[in-house]
Amino acid sequence: MDDLITWINSNSSLGILLAIGVLSMLESLAFVGILVPGIAILATLSWFAGQQALSLPFMLLSGFIGAVIGDWLSYLLGRYASHWISTLPIIKRHPNWLTEGQRFFARYGGRSIFLGRFVGPIRAVIPFVAGSCAMPPQRFLVFNLLSAACWAPVSLLPAYWLGQQAEELQMTWNIWLQLIALLMFVAVLFQAAHHQLEPGNWLYRYLHPFAEHPHRQLRTRLFATSMLATLLACIGVRLYWALPSWEHSTFERMQSLPEHLLPTITLSTLPGDGLFLALGSLSTALLLWFYRHRSAALCFAGTVAATMAINTLLKLLFDWPRPAIGQQLYESASFPSGHAAGAAALLAGWAVLMAHKYEARTKRRIYLATFALIAPVALSRVLLGVHWPLDVVAGSTVGLFFAALLRWQMDQEGNYTQPTAFRYWLGAGIVLLSLGYALWRLPSAISFYAG
């Protein structure tokens, strides 16, 4: 570790970014990742990158590219050199490396590329196994891009964030523990309720009079009802208590983050930008239209459009003032948050398309992963000082309500089926659109929110 610190201190910022890329590649490279403690070294490098205030987008891009290259090389080795590699002495001494990877791949198929990226030693074996099993390269590439895009922030951001201003974070640890606990509670509650609504479980049996007709879609109806009830509760608070003391206190406590976190927070808010919503909904609708799902294409575009229309109408009705910073940056009203509403509708709409026709367990995983993407968008609006906490809660419920209506409409169409290629193209399109938009928009967005 002392040698690593000396090396970092004597080299440029470019050296740190290159080292992150190389180690990300080695962490994913066939069998090498098992032997190299890549995660520990990457965490150290990310901490130094945060301490030296290196560019966050470039750090994430470096990790992303390295991870993609590592998996792709492993795939090529498995496809063209699996027989030779399996005869190597180190592989013969550890046959469980391949057997566990083959078992994991046989169980999850293409999804194992994504899931394996986050599972210890399996990470360095699954791409090799996929290549040896002659998985189509186009299909592998889509999973490779998706998994790397999710892996890079998860693996690099925490250490980078801590390295920026660790001493200043001590002032705000309490509010963050509370927020994390709240988000975990919501996720666990959704997981438990979704599971209990499967046939045979007690909640399903209790609600059997409503569930005996399949077209009633119990889960979707309950979720939409809960979102509508939450929105009405937020409206009730605004009408009768205006700005409660607890909401004002929470807002103030969330404003004491270090300025170094502005790029990260700004990056989190970009999925709610109007242009991103337009590009995302239009491109998805065109893809659905190309696959002859014209009704679904119109419904998807209508989901985002209706969300923003209702959100705008509520803004005009309540005309609730933004916090001081928000009034300097925006002329529109505060309640509800348009960014939170739009991002929730678009991201949840994508999740509905991805999860359609899958079994309940897979759907839960997709929905929970989407929740982990929607929550930062909502939180970023409060952290940037442009919305009150209740604004983002109300906005998110509006978007999720219309996403539930999209799910209901798709289930109503019994003949709606998705070819496997649709999900691959949709996933790849989401990743490329998100990366391209972030690289293009982030610098100007940082300047905008910095005031």
Side-chain angles (χ1 to χ4, degrees), residues 87-102:
T87 62
L88 294 176
I90 189 171
I91 304 300
K92 290 184 175 181
R93 286 197 300 269
H94 301 279
N96 59 304
W97 291 352
L98 274 177
T99 55
E100 290 179 4
Q102 291 166 349

Side-chain angles (χ1 to χ4, degrees), residues 54-212:
L54 299 188
S55 170
L56 175 60
F58 281 113
M59 185 195 72
L60 294 177
L61 183 63
S62 179
F64 169 79
I65 293 175
V68 170
I69 293 175
D71 265 16
W72 186 248
L73 291 176
S74 301
Y75 171 84
L76 294 177
L77 289 173
R79 192 172 181 88
Y80 300 107
S82 60
H83 178 73
W84 171 73
I85 290 179
S86 61
T87 62
L88 294 176
I90 189 171
I91 304 300
K92 290 184 175 181
R93 286 197 300 269
H94 301 279
N96 59 304
W97 291 352
L98 274 177
T99 55
E100 290 179 4
Q102 291 166 349
R103 188 181 302 115
F104 194 84
F105 184 79
R107 180 178 180 183
Y108 295 104
R111 289 175 294 160
S112 64
I113 308 301
F114 185 95
L115 299 174
R117 180 84 74 175
F118 301 90
V119 183
I122 293 293
R123 181 187 304 113
V125 179
I126 289 297
F128 177 87
V129 173
S132 65
C133 293
M135 183 179 183
Q138 302 94 325
R139 185 183 181 195
F140 175 83
L141 182 59
V142 170
F143 282 110
N144 187 11
L145 292 172
L146 286 172
S147 62
C150 296
W151 174 85
V154 170
S155 301
L156 302 178
L157 270 180
Y160 180 90
W161 182 56
L162 290 174
Q164 287 180 318
Q165 275 293 347
E167 63 276 7
E168 293 187 25
L169 296 178
Q170 296 176 3
M171 300 171 56
T172 57
W173 67 270
N174 190 34
I175 183 62
W176 283 106
L177 285 180
Q178 295 173 12
L179 288 172
I180 291 172
L182 176 61
L183 294 176
M184 290 182 64
F185 171 76
V186 172
V188 171
L189 181 63
F190 173 83
Q191 163 84 11
H194 195 274
H195 173 70
Q196 286 299 328
L197 287 172
E198 294 181 22
N201 291 328
W202 70 267
L203 187 56
Y204 182 92
R205 292 195 301 269
Y206 178 77
L207 297 172
H208 181 70
F210 302 97
E212 59 185 354

